[in-house]
Amino acid sequence: MVLPPERGAVDDVNYVVVHGYRRAYRMRGSGPPLLLLHGMACDSTTWFPVMDQLAEHFTVIAPDLLGHGESDKPNADYSLGGFANGMRDLLTILGIDKVTVAGHSFGGGVAMQFAYQFPERTERVVLVASGGLGPEVTPLIRALTLPGVGLGLRLATLKPWRGVVSGSMRTMAHLPMTRDLDEVAKIYERLADPATSLAIRRLTRTVLDWDGQFVTMADRAYLTRLMPLLVVWGRNDHVIPVEHAQRLPLMENSHVHVFEDSGHFPHKDHPDEFARLIVDFCRIQAPAQYHRGRWRALLRRGDQAGLASVSLPDAASESPSAVS
Protein backbone atom coordinates (compact mmCIF):
# COMPACT_ATOMS: atom_id res chain seq x y z
CA MET A 1 0.00 0.00 0.00
CA VAL A 2 1.24 3.50 -0.76
CA LEU A 3 0.30 6.81 0.77
CA PRO A 4 -0.99 9.53 -1.56
CA PRO A 5 1.31 12.40 -0.59
CA GLU A 6 -1.30 15.12 -1.00
CA ARG A 7 -3.76 13.77 1.56
CA GLY A 8 -2.00 10.96 3.43
CA ALA A 9 -4.88 8.52 2.99
CA VAL A 10 -4.26 4.83 2.42
CA ASP A 11 -4.30 4.04 -1.29
CA ASP A 12 -7.36 2.12 -2.42
CA VAL A 13 -6.44 0.77 -5.83
CA ASN A 14 -8.64 -2.08 -7.08
CA TYR A 15 -8.45 -4.30 -10.13
CA VAL A 16 -10.92 -5.89 -12.50
CA VAL A 17 -10.36 -7.82 -15.72
CA VAL A 18 -12.27 -6.52 -18.75
CA HIS A 19 -11.98 -8.40 -22.05
CA GLY A 20 -8.85 -10.12 -20.79
CA TYR A 21 -7.01 -6.96 -19.68
CA ARG A 22 -6.48 -5.86 -16.11
CA ARG A 23 -7.95 -2.44 -15.33
CA ALA A 24 -6.93 -0.55 -12.19
CA TYR A 25 -9.30 1.90 -10.54
CA ARG A 26 -9.75 3.77 -7.29
CA MET A 27 -13.16 4.11 -5.69
CA ARG A 28 -14.04 6.22 -2.66
CA GLY A 29 -17.01 7.78 -0.93
CA SER A 30 -20.75 7.40 -1.32
CA GLY A 31 -23.48 9.26 -3.11
CA PRO A 32 -24.10 10.00 -6.81
CA PRO A 33 -21.40 8.43 -9.02
CA LEU A 34 -18.64 10.72 -10.33
CA LEU A 35 -16.26 9.26 -12.94
CA LEU A 36 -12.84 10.98 -13.07
CA LEU A 37 -10.75 10.46 -16.19
CA HIS A 38 -7.08 11.44 -16.21
CA GLY A 39 -5.02 12.83 -19.07
CA MET A 40 -2.55 11.27 -21.47
CA ALA A 41 0.45 9.60 -19.78
CA CYS A 42 -0.99 10.39 -16.34
CA ASP A 43 -3.02 8.05 -14.13
CA SER A 44 -5.71 8.21 -11.48
CA THR A 45 -3.27 9.60 -8.91
CA THR A 46 -3.57 12.97 -10.68
CA TRP A 47 -6.91 13.32 -8.84
CA PHE A 48 -5.45 12.76 -5.35
CA PRO A 49 -5.53 16.50 -4.48
CA VAL A 50 -9.34 16.56 -4.84
CA MET A 51 -10.44 12.96 -4.44
CA ASP A 52 -11.08 13.05 -0.69
CA GLN A 53 -13.14 16.26 -0.84
CA LEU A 54 -15.20 14.92 -3.73
CA ALA A 55 -15.70 11.59 -1.96
CA GLU A 56 -17.55 13.46 0.79
CA HIS A 57 -20.33 14.12 -1.75
CA PHE A 58 -19.97 11.45 -4.44
CA THR A 59 -19.03 7.87 -5.12
CA VAL A 60 -15.79 8.69 -6.90
CA ILE A 61 -14.52 6.23 -9.53
CA ALA A 62 -11.05 7.10 -10.84
CA PRO A 63 -9.68 4.48 -13.27
CA ASP A 64 -6.26 4.12 -14.81
CA LEU A 65 -7.09 4.13 -18.50
CA LEU A 66 -5.81 1.21 -20.55
CA GLY A 67 -2.12 1.73 -21.27
CA HIS A 68 -1.69 3.92 -18.19
CA GLY A 69 -0.79 3.56 -14.53
CA GLU A 70 -1.37 0.10 -13.11
CA SER A 71 -3.71 -1.00 -15.89
CA ASP A 72 -2.43 -3.36 -18.57
CA LYS A 73 -0.62 -1.90 -21.56
CA PRO A 74 -1.44 -4.20 -24.48
CA ASN A 75 -0.98 -3.63 -28.18
CA ALA A 76 -4.67 -2.76 -28.50
CA ASP A 77 -7.28 -0.12 -29.33
CA TYR A 78 -6.36 3.30 -27.94
CA SER A 79 -9.00 5.31 -29.78
CA LEU A 80 -11.45 7.64 -28.05
CA GLY A 81 -14.27 5.24 -28.85
CA GLY A 82 -12.32 2.34 -27.40
CA PHE A 83 -11.69 4.21 -24.15
CA ALA A 84 -15.36 5.21 -23.92
CA ASN A 85 -16.38 1.58 -24.37
CA GLY A 86 -13.93 0.56 -21.68
CA MET A 87 -15.48 3.02 -19.24
CA ARG A 88 -18.97 1.75 -20.03
CA ASP A 89 -17.85 -1.82 -19.39
CA LEU A 90 -16.07 -0.93 -16.14
CA LEU A 91 -19.16 0.90 -14.85
CA THR A 92 -21.35 -2.03 -15.85
CA ILE A 93 -19.17 -4.44 -13.88
CA LEU A 94 -19.33 -2.11 -10.89
CA GLY A 95 -23.13 -2.00 -11.13
CA ILE A 96 -23.24 1.75 -11.94
CA ASP A 97 -25.78 2.83 -14.53
CA LYS A 98 -25.36 6.62 -14.73
CA VAL A 99 -22.52 9.01 -13.89
CA THR A 100 -21.36 12.57 -13.98
CA VAL A 101 -18.19 12.23 -16.03
CA ALA A 102 -15.22 14.58 -15.56
CA GLY A 103 -12.17 14.42 -17.79
CA HIS A 104 -8.83 16.22 -17.73
CA SER A 105 -6.87 16.91 -20.94
CA PHE A 106 -7.10 13.74 -23.07
CA GLY A 107 -9.53 12.44 -20.46
CA GLY A 108 -11.80 15.32 -21.41
CA GLY A 109 -11.90 13.96 -24.93
CA VAL A 110 -12.83 10.55 -23.54
CA ALA A 111 -15.51 12.18 -21.39
CA MET A 112 -17.04 13.90 -24.42
CA GLN A 113 -16.90 10.66 -26.40
CA PHE A 114 -18.54 8.76 -23.53
CA ALA A 115 -21.36 11.31 -23.36
CA TYR A 116 -21.83 11.15 -27.14
CA GLN A 117 -21.86 7.34 -27.31
CA PHE A 118 -23.83 6.76 -24.11
CA PRO A 119 -26.08 9.77 -23.43
CA GLU A 120 -28.47 7.51 -21.54
CA ARG A 121 -25.69 6.86 -19.00
CA THR A 122 -24.40 10.43 -18.69
CA GLU A 123 -25.89 12.92 -16.23
CA ARG A 124 -23.42 15.79 -16.54
CA VAL A 125 -20.05 16.50 -18.20
CA VAL A 126 -17.08 18.34 -16.68
CA LEU A 127 -14.17 19.23 -18.98
CA VAL A 128 -10.90 20.23 -17.33
CA ALA A 129 -8.31 21.78 -19.69
CA SER A 130 -9.77 19.39 -22.20
CA GLY A 131 -8.47 18.11 -25.47
CA GLY A 132 -10.83 17.87 -28.41
CA LEU A 133 -11.92 21.51 -28.61
CA GLY A 134 -9.52 22.76 -31.27
CA PRO A 135 -6.29 21.88 -33.12
CA GLU A 136 -3.86 23.84 -30.96
CA VAL A 137 -1.71 21.81 -28.57
CA THR A 138 1.87 22.06 -27.30
CA PRO A 139 4.63 20.91 -29.72
CA LEU A 140 5.87 18.47 -27.03
CA ILE A 141 2.73 16.38 -27.53
CA ARG A 142 2.66 16.81 -31.31
CA ALA A 143 6.23 15.50 -31.43
CA LEU A 144 5.02 12.13 -30.13
CA THR A 145 3.47 11.47 -33.56
CA LEU A 146 6.72 11.93 -35.52
CA PRO A 147 8.59 8.99 -37.11
CA GLY A 148 11.41 7.66 -34.97
CA VAL A 149 10.10 9.18 -31.75
CA GLY A 150 10.17 5.76 -30.07
CA LEU A 151 13.94 5.57 -30.38
CA GLY A 152 14.22 9.19 -29.33
CA LEU A 153 12.25 8.52 -26.15
CA ARG A 154 14.38 5.50 -25.29
CA LEU A 155 17.51 7.62 -25.56
CA ALA A 156 16.01 10.59 -23.75
CA THR A 157 14.91 8.49 -20.77
CA LEU A 158 18.04 6.38 -20.28
CA LYS A 159 18.87 5.82 -16.63
CA PRO A 160 22.24 7.71 -16.55
CA TRP A 161 20.51 11.09 -17.00
CA ARG A 162 16.87 10.32 -16.19
CA GLY A 163 17.17 11.43 -12.58
CA VAL A 164 18.98 14.64 -13.51
CA VAL A 165 16.35 15.60 -16.09
CA SER A 166 13.36 14.85 -13.87
CA GLY A 167 15.01 16.55 -10.90
CA SER A 168 15.65 19.68 -12.95
CA MET A 169 12.01 19.75 -14.02
CA ARG A 170 10.80 19.50 -10.43
CA THR A 171 13.14 22.32 -9.40
CA MET A 172 11.79 24.58 -12.15
CA ALA A 173 8.22 23.71 -11.14
CA HIS A 174 8.53 26.15 -8.25
CA LEU A 175 8.38 29.03 -10.74
CA PRO A 176 4.90 30.31 -11.71
CA MET A 177 5.39 30.02 -15.48
CA THR A 178 6.71 26.44 -15.27
CA ARG A 179 4.45 25.18 -12.48
CA ASP A 180 3.35 22.11 -14.47
CA LEU A 181 6.86 20.71 -14.84
CA ASP A 182 6.46 18.51 -11.77
CA GLU A 183 3.67 16.68 -13.61
CA VAL A 184 5.76 16.65 -16.79
CA ALA A 185 8.57 15.03 -14.78
CA LYS A 186 6.22 12.20 -13.80
CA ILE A 187 5.20 11.71 -17.44
CA TYR A 188 8.85 11.75 -18.52
CA GLU A 189 9.69 9.01 -15.99
CA ARG A 190 6.70 6.88 -17.08
CA LEU A 191 7.77 7.09 -20.71
CA ALA A 192 10.95 5.21 -19.79
CA ASP A 193 8.79 2.09 -19.65
CA PRO A 194 8.64 0.62 -23.20
CA ALA A 195 5.04 -0.62 -22.87
CA THR A 196 3.85 2.77 -21.62
CA SER A 197 5.77 4.57 -24.36
CA LEU A 198 4.21 2.40 -27.07
CA ALA A 199 0.70 2.87 -25.66
CA ILE A 200 1.07 6.66 -25.49
CA ARG A 201 2.45 6.87 -29.02
CA ARG A 202 -0.44 4.78 -30.34
CA LEU A 203 -2.91 6.94 -28.44
CA THR A 204 -1.57 10.25 -29.74
CA ARG A 205 -1.77 9.10 -33.36
CA THR A 206 -5.50 8.41 -33.03
CA VAL A 207 -6.30 12.06 -32.26
CA LEU A 208 -3.51 14.32 -33.55
CA ASP A 209 -0.53 14.76 -35.86
CA TRP A 210 2.18 17.40 -36.22
CA ASP A 211 -0.44 19.97 -37.26
CA GLY A 212 -2.37 19.45 -34.02
CA GLN A 213 -5.60 17.80 -32.91
CA PHE A 214 -7.65 16.58 -35.85
CA VAL A 215 -10.31 14.83 -33.74
CA THR A 216 -12.55 17.42 -32.09
CA MET A 217 -16.17 17.62 -31.03
CA ALA A 218 -16.72 20.87 -32.93
CA ASP A 219 -19.20 19.22 -35.29
CA ARG A 220 -21.18 17.78 -32.36
CA ALA A 221 -20.93 20.61 -29.85
CA TYR A 222 -24.60 21.46 -30.29
CA LEU A 223 -25.48 18.22 -28.48
CA THR A 224 -24.39 19.86 -25.22
CA ARG A 225 -27.78 21.54 -25.22
CA LEU A 226 -29.23 18.37 -23.73
CA MET A 227 -26.61 17.84 -21.03
CA PRO A 228 -25.28 20.07 -18.21
CA LEU A 229 -21.71 21.08 -19.01
CA LEU A 230 -18.96 22.64 -16.88
CA VAL A 231 -15.71 23.75 -18.54
CA VAL A 232 -12.73 24.44 -16.26
CA TRP A 233 -9.35 25.83 -17.31
CA GLY A 234 -6.19 27.45 -15.98
CA ARG A 235 -5.34 30.91 -17.27
CA ASN A 236 -1.67 30.00 -17.76
CA ASP A 237 -2.15 26.65 -19.52
CA HIS A 238 0.80 26.09 -21.88
CA VAL A 239 -0.35 22.65 -23.03
CA ILE A 240 -3.80 23.47 -24.44
CA PRO A 241 -4.64 27.18 -24.70
CA VAL A 242 -7.30 28.63 -22.42
CA GLU A 243 -9.04 30.09 -25.49
CA HIS A 244 -10.43 26.60 -26.11
CA ALA A 245 -12.69 27.13 -23.09
CA GLN A 246 -14.83 29.37 -25.29
CA ARG A 247 -15.14 26.90 -28.17
CA LEU A 248 -18.37 25.33 -26.92
CA PRO A 249 -21.78 26.99 -27.33
CA LEU A 250 -22.96 28.39 -24.01
CA MET A 251 -26.45 27.28 -23.01
CA GLU A 252 -28.49 27.78 -19.87
CA ASN A 253 -27.11 24.48 -18.55
CA SER A 254 -23.41 25.25 -19.21
CA HIS A 255 -20.77 27.22 -17.37
CA VAL A 256 -17.11 28.16 -17.92
CA HIS A 257 -14.73 28.80 -15.03
CA VAL A 258 -11.13 29.94 -15.56
CA PHE A 259 -8.76 29.75 -12.59
CA GLU A 260 -6.24 32.56 -12.37
CA ASP A 261 -2.71 31.64 -11.31
CA SER A 262 -3.17 28.12 -12.67
CA GLY A 263 -1.71 25.99 -15.45
CA HIS A 264 -2.79 22.76 -17.13
CA PHE A 265 -3.72 21.11 -13.80
CA PRO A 266 -6.22 23.43 -12.07
CA HIS A 267 -7.38 20.58 -9.83
CA LYS A 268 -3.83 20.45 -8.46
CA ASP A 269 -3.23 24.21 -8.31
CA HIS A 270 -6.55 25.02 -6.57
CA PRO A 271 -7.86 21.75 -5.11
CA ASP A 272 -10.32 23.17 -2.57
CA GLU A 273 -11.88 25.64 -4.98
CA PHE A 274 -11.97 23.02 -7.72
CA ALA A 275 -13.80 20.52 -5.53
CA ARG A 276 -16.32 23.16 -4.45
CA LEU A 277 -16.90 24.07 -8.08
CA ILE A 278 -17.76 20.46 -8.96
CA VAL A 279 -20.01 20.05 -5.92
CA ASP A 280 -21.88 23.30 -6.60
CA PHE A 281 -22.28 22.51 -10.30
CA CYS A 282 -23.82 19.12 -9.55
CA ARG A 283 -26.04 20.62 -6.87
CA ILE A 284 -27.38 23.40 -9.12
CA GLN A 285 -27.62 21.48 -12.40
CA ALA A 286 -30.10 18.61 -12.32
CA PRO A 287 -28.88 15.45 -14.09
CA ALA A 288 -29.72 15.08 -17.75
CA GLN A 289 -32.71 12.86 -18.46
CA TYR A 290 -32.11 10.95 -21.67
CA HIS A 291 -35.10 10.88 -23.99
CA ARG A 292 -34.70 9.25 -27.37
CA GLY A 293 -37.20 11.51 -29.11
CA ARG A 294 -35.47 14.72 -27.99
CA TRP A 295 -32.06 13.32 -28.85
CA ARG A 296 -33.28 12.26 -32.29
CA ALA A 297 -34.89 15.65 -32.93
CA LEU A 298 -31.64 17.45 -32.13
CA LEU A 299 -29.60 15.10 -34.30
CA ARG A 300 -31.97 15.63 -37.23
CA ARG A 301 -31.72 19.42 -37.00
CA GLY A 302 -27.99 19.38 -36.47
CA ASP A 303 -25.84 22.44 -35.90
CA GLN A 304 -28.21 24.91 -37.54
CA ALA A 305 -28.08 28.67 -37.23
CA GLY A 306 -30.33 29.83 -34.44
CA LEU A 307 -30.49 26.35 -32.95
CA ALA A 308 -30.59 27.74 -29.42
CA SER A 309 -33.99 29.23 -30.14
CA VAL A 310 -35.43 26.06 -31.69
CA SER A 311 -37.96 24.32 -29.47
CA LEU A 312 -37.41 20.60 -29.02
CA PRO A 313 -40.20 18.14 -28.33
CA ASP A 314 -41.35 17.93 -24.72
CA ALA A 315 -40.49 14.48 -23.38
CA ALA A 316 -43.83 14.26 -21.60
CA SER A 317 -45.85 15.27 -24.66
CA GLU A 318 -44.48 12.79 -27.18
CA SER A 319 -46.52 9.73 -27.97
CA PRO A 320 -45.00 6.28 -27.30
CA SER A 321 -44.72 5.66 -31.04
CA ALA A 322 -42.51 8.72 -31.39
CA VAL A 323 -39.85 7.38 -29.03
CA SER A 324 -39.89 3.69 -29.85
Side-chain angles (χ1 to χ4, degrees):
M1 304 293 279
V2 297
L3 298 179
E6 292 85 352
R7 294 292 167 184
V10 174
D11 199 3
D12 50 359
V13 63
N14 303 285
Y15 301 95
V16 65
V17 175
V18 183
H19 308 311
Y21 300 129
R22 186 180 77 163
R23 315 292 184 108
Y25 67 95
R26 291 171 167 87
M27 193 167 177
R28 298 181 189 174
S30 60
L34 173 64
L35 179 65
L36 301 178
L37 304 178
H38 62 77
M40 181 184 69
C42 296
D43 59 32
S44 55
T45 62
T46 192
W47 298 110
F48 276 166
V50 297
M51 199 179 295
D52 285 343
Q53 297 102 306
L54 292 174
E56 295 175 4
H57 304 271
F58 306 98
T59 297
V60 175
I61 309 101
D64 288 352
L65 296 175
L66 196 68
H68 296 72
E70 297 188 50
S71 289
D72 281 347
K73 302 167 181 65
N75 185 8
D77 180 9
Y78 291 106
S79 66
L80 284 173
F83 281 117
N85 288 340
M87 293 304 96
R88 174 205 58 193
D89 296 340
L90 173 62
L91 293 173
T92 299
I93 290 173
L94 296 178
I96 298 172
D97 293 327
K98 297 181 179 182
V99 294
T100 292
V101 56
H104 171 247
S105 199
F106 177 78
V110 178
M112 286 187 281
Q113 187 69 27
F114 181 89
Y116 171 62
Q117 290 182 200
F118 311 113
E120 73 283 359
R121 304 190 70 160
T122 309
E123 295 185 332
R124 306 171 190 84
V125 176
V126 180
L127 304 178
V128 185
S130 177
L133 298 179
E136 299 86 359
V137 67
T138 177
L140 289 176
I141 294 179
R142 288 187 275 131
L144 293 174
T145 67
L146 295 176
V149 71
L151 176 59
L153 284 174
R154 285 197 295 273
L155 294 175
T157 56
L158 285 175
K159 186 173 289 186
W161 48 79
R162 190 187 312 156
V164 175
V165 173
S166 60
S168 299
M169 290 182 185
R170 289 187 170 94
T171 299
M172 294 177 64
H174 296 292
L175 302 174
M177 294 303 294
T178 52
R179 71 177 79 242
D180 292 333
L181 282 181
D182 56 343
E183 296 293 335
V184 175
K186 295 177 186 177
I187 293 171
Y188 166 77
E189 291 168 345
R190 291 173 184 135
L191 289 174
D193 173 57
T196 299
S197 175
L198 177 61
I200 299 308
R201 285 182 282 125
R202 289 193 179 280
L203 180 159
T204 55
R205 289 171 183 151
T206 68
V207 293
L208 58 89
D209 55 24
W210 179 247
D211 293 325
Q213 299 179 89
F214 56 78
V215 176
T216 76
M217 72 164 293
D219 57 341
R220 289 162 284 168
Y222 65 91
L223 295 174
T224 57
R225 185 179 179 197
L226 296 180
M227 197 168 293
L229 173 68
L230 173 63
V231 180
V232 184
W233 230 279
R235 179 71 67 188
N236 303 315
D237 192 334
H238 299 297
V239 178
I240 304 175
V242 66
E243 289 76 18
H244 286 202
Q246 305 298 333
R247 295 282 174 87
L248 290 169
L250 290 181
M251 308 291 183
E252 64 275 5
N253 62 347
S254 62
H255 178 67
V256 175
H257 185 93
V258 177
F259 281 103
E260 305 297 334
D261 190 30
S262 180
H264 189 57
F265 297 82
H267 52 290
K268 181 200 73 172
D269 297 332
H270 301 281
D272 296 331
E273 297 91 334
F274 180 91
R276 278 199 303 270
L277 190 65
I278 303 297
V279 171
D280 289 344
F281 170 69
C282 292
R283 176 177 52 83
I284 294 169
Q285 292 290 345
Q289 299 295 324
Y290 174 72
H291 188 273
R292 194 186 309 174
R294 290 174 60 81
W295 189 261
R296 179 168 57 230
L298 192 54
L299 285 170
R300 282 175 173 168
R301 289 172 181 148
D303 190 11
Q304 298 176 2
L307 180 63
S309 63
V310 174
S311 177
L312 293 176
D314 185 353
S317 66
E318 286 203 341
S319 64
S321 62
V323 296
S324 60

